[in-house]
Amino acid sequence: MLVRGLAVGDSTGKPQRLAGSQTDITEKKAAEAQLRYDSCHDSLTGLANRRLFMERLEEVIARTADDKNYLFAVLFLDLDRFKVINDTLGHKIGDRLLVAVARTLESCVRPEDTVARLGGDEFTVLLDNIKGIDNATQAAERIQNQLALPFNIGGNEVFSTVSMGIALSSTGYKQAEDILRDADMTMYGVKNHRNGGQYYQIFDPTLHSKAMGMLQLENDLRGALGRQEFVLCYQPIVSLKSFRIVGFEALIRWQHKELGLVSPVQFIPMAEATGLINAIGYWTLEEACRQLKFWQKQFPGKPSLTVSVNLSTKQFTQTDLLNQIEKALQITGLESRFLKLEITESVLVENADRVNAMLVKMRQMGVRLSLDDFGTGYSSLSYMHSFPIDTLKIDRSFVNGVDTELGKIEIIRTVVGLAWNLGMDTIAEGVETKTQMYQLKSLKCNSAQGYYFSRPLDVKAAEALIAQEREYFSNPNKLEGLEFWARK
Ligand code: C2E
Ligand code: MG
Ligand code: MG
């Protein structure tokens, strides 16, 4: 039987065309070689496929065990916006682009390196026996530069950039999957957080353990509400006129079983990203309202204490925020005028009309509103008046230094004046020294909050503080009100 043009492998494993007649045995061998070849190569581009690439990786990993100086690198590449090219120019052009990219990649590396197509628009390169990290970054740069040139495909000029992650054998891999996973993860990071023109990045093992830690924390956060791991701390807000406590800000803490107290700065962004913020936000609201209602009964001499609860920007995107507020007040029996909600300038900037309508409704419910961290966001002073805000909380960054820096004094003077003109009052955040406190008082700031008065306290400590305060101020021989805070 005659076989024409059937492929068989040569010594490198690459098939060759056979011309002319062969015996049946040769024919069978040729067919087997073709099958072997097909099972290790990508049919579209002719590059190594995943299977062959993994085999090569295992070989070089084995070599690192024998030779400590032996170094190799894996590049993981993914074309940017390939789907758009496929969708707009058609799959045929898309396929031709993949072939052109394959040839470009081959042209950027040495013959002993392995270029593979894992599938879709994902390619990998094994840079074998390199001298150092520079060889890997140079190859990445060559690839980046070559791919930046347009391809001419069927009369179309097609541009394609690529995102690359690089993993080095020096990290110490035992499994082919592990080095591929790290290169892939790094590529993913490049694609999602592209920093200017940077198309590649080298895997950083410390980032990996950090990322794993974050992932673990995120998993733990999902069950934290159910396990009742959240607690609220309360930081007093003190009037600069009477030096008495006018309210508390509720600040959330997470009691993690292994890590101890986790700061909201760490887990609130995570809660926002996962959507858990809505449930956590509601829990905080109800808990803070319940606590204040309890204190009102416990300390009848302080009937006008307020509680301030922070709202995240993300909570404004949920439709039932207003219902949640109503529900928390109703369940706990707290009158709405004792609840203050703290929002940040970013809430006002994003989706201003919708947010304004929600704020107006909150105000109609009788709840009061504070603008937190004022001065750190982008809200313009000129449109401040269009939002129904009761209180401006001047950010710590202005308060810190108000005793020494003239510029900060002037900023605070201006903000207090502006607030006064708009019918708002002011709270200075982060007051840490007596001098700062006096300066803020002379600048006519209404109230202050900060370590000088007290750190955020757990419920028991907050109750002790209210009781002490009551005793001190009810003493006819009391010294000036400030003495109470100075004594602590
Ligand atoms: P924030 O609302 O501006 O809260 C004030 C932060 O400043 C608190 O940090 C407080 O402990 C800290 N602080 C108070 N006085 C001083 C001071 O004199 N010096 C210094 N250096 N810091 C002071 P904390 O409790 O770590 O909270 C950080 C942020 O986390 C809060 O900033 C708020 O944005 C957010 N947060 C806290 N609790 C919640 C919550 O229940 N829900 C939401 N969405 N966010 C919350
Ligand atoms: Mg706040
Ligand atoms: Mg603040």
Side-chain angles (χ1 to χ4, degrees), residues 231-233 235 249-253 263-268 272 277 280-281 283-285 309-313 315 342 344 372-373 393 395-396 400 429-433 436 449-456:
V231 278
L232 292 183
C233 279
Q235 188 177 34
E249 176 172 2
L251 294 159
I252 195 166
R253 303 286 178 265
S263 153
V265 178
Q266 208 177 344
F267 72 83
I268 292 285
E272 288 176 338
I277 190 68
I280 297 175
W283 177 86
T284 309
L285 259 173
V309 175
N310 293 282
L311 287 185
S312 141
T313 316
Q315 287 175 270
E342 297 198 359
T344 54
D372 206 354
D373 308 336
K393 294 191 77 172
D395 189 67
R396 190 166 79 220
N400 173 337
E429 292 190 276
V431 179
E432 292 185 352
T433 67
Q436 286 171 1
Q449 181 182 349
Y451 294 171
Y452 172 69
F453 299 104
S454 165
R455 289 190 176 251

Side-chain angles (χ1 to χ4, degrees), residues 79-106:
L79 296 188
D80 300 324
R81 300 169 47 253
F82 179 66
K83 190 179 168 335
V84 179
I85 293 171
N86 246 347
D87 290 349
T88 51
L89 300 176
H91 286 254
K92 269 200 181 128
I93 301 279
D95 280 356
R96 287 174 65 183
L97 174 66
L98 292 173
V99 174
V101 169
R103 298 293 84 80
T104 305
L105 293 178
E106 282 174 328

Side-chain angles (χ1 to χ4, degrees), residues 169-181:
S169 61
S170 50
T171 299
Y173 293 98
K174 303 230 166 6
Q175 306 280 342
E177 292 84 40
D178 292 348
I179 188 165
L180 199 66
R181 174 206 61 210

Side-chain angles (χ1 to χ4, degrees), residues 340-341 359 362-363 367-371 388-391:
K340 287 185 109 172
L341 297 174
L359 296 179
M362 289 178 194
R363 259 284 203 70
V367 169
R368 281 179 283 167
L369 303 169
S370 300
L371 196 54
I389 305 290
D390 300 276
T391 304

